[in-house]
Amino acid sequence: MRKLVYYVAVTLDGYIAAEDGTFDGFVFEGDHMEGINAVYADTLPTQFREALGLQDAPNRNFDTVLMGRNTYQIPGGLASPYAHLRQFVVTSQALDTPDDVELIGEDVLGRVRSLKAEDGLDIWLCGGGKLAGELLPEIDKLLLKIHPVVFGRGIPLFDGKADITKFQRTAAQLFESGVSFMTYERP
């Protein structure tokens, strides 16, 4: 069975983006970029993979990406940001999307459960906080790029009402840039 993996950058105070949905405060230079991207190149937008000469690299971790409408519609975003993955956007609003981006408008938990039951690589939940809060019962693993910055306010890692859920740290990697890469899994 595939896992639902919430892989996201987060601030020290638990935000995945500023209030306006941007993430300019995160550290985009340093040894963590090469180190993490070498393992998780399948999470790079398709245009960046092409710029790095990775367009033909096989996906090693994920073959499916799940995102909320706000994550999909970030300022300057692409119509098909992860064309090398099967793309799903969770939204109750009608969106004009290309054929390779599928909308999920209802029974999100049921749809995620059916995706997890399919054969394939894991499913990447790339945001946002409200969707992560809703899908917490189905999240099997957290991959957190913890950046040495405080936003003070913004979009939380998990937004909304959620039950207490325990995870166990299974890996930790520290970088000179100050970014920590932490892996947590359900016990």
Side-chain angles (χ1 to χ4, degrees):
M1 182 180 233
R2 304 189 319 160
K3 292 181 180 180
L4 179 62
V5 180
Y6 190 21
Y7 172 81
V8 68
V10 64
T11 64
L12 292 173
D13 55 345
Y15 295 106
I16 60 171
E19 289 177 302
D20 65 359
T22 61
F23 31 84
D24 297 341
F26 287 116
V27 180
F28 289 106
E29 295 180 1
D31 59 331
H32 69 283
M33 294 296 288
E34 186 177 327
I36 295 171
N37 289 342
V39 178
Y40 293 98
D42 35 356
T43 64
L44 295 171
T46 301
Q47 73 175 17
F48 294 128
R49 286 172 55 103
E50 291 170 358
L52 296 172
L54 300 172
Q55 65 271 14
D56 295 326
N59 295 328
R60 295 180 4 186
N61 302 287
F62 307 108
D63 61 13
T64 305
V65 60
L66 183 67
M67 61 194 115
R69 180 184 52 83
N70 291 332
T71 299
Y72 176 70
Q73 293 184 314
I74 61 169
L78 304 169
S80 181
Y82 303 102
H84 58 285
L85 301 173
R86 191 170 161 205
Q87 302 173 91
F88 292 91
V89 177
V90 177
T91 180
S92 59
Q93 299 178 10
L95 294 177
D96 185 23
T97 60
D99 291 342
D100 66 339
V101 177
E102 185 177 330
L103 301 180
I104 300 174
E106 55 188 40
D107 190 21
V108 178
L109 280 172
R111 183 69 170 140
V112 167
R113 288 180 183 127
S114 68
L115 288 170
K116 288 174 69 174
E118 293 175 359
D119 289 332
L121 299 175
D122 287 337
I123 303 160
W124 170 34
L125 172 59
C126 75
K130 286 182 185 174
L131 181 56
E134 183 178 350
L135 292 178
L136 183 57
E138 290 299 318
I139 295 174
D140 302 292
K141 188 178 198 178
L142 303 170
L143 297 175
L144 303 178
K145 299 175 283 186
I146 303 171
H147 288 248
V149 62
V150 172
F151 281 6
R153 60 189 175 280
I155 299 170
L157 182 64
F158 292 97
D159 194 1
K161 191 174 185 176
D163 293 329
I164 294 173
T165 306
K166 294 190 178 196
F167 287 85
Q168 177 180 341
R169 188 187 73 220
T170 56
Q173 191 173 6
L174 306 176
F175 294 93
E176 291 298 319
S177 64
V179 172
S180 302
F181 188 67
M182 308 298 281
T183 303
Y184 297 92
E185 297 185 59
R186 287 188 182 266

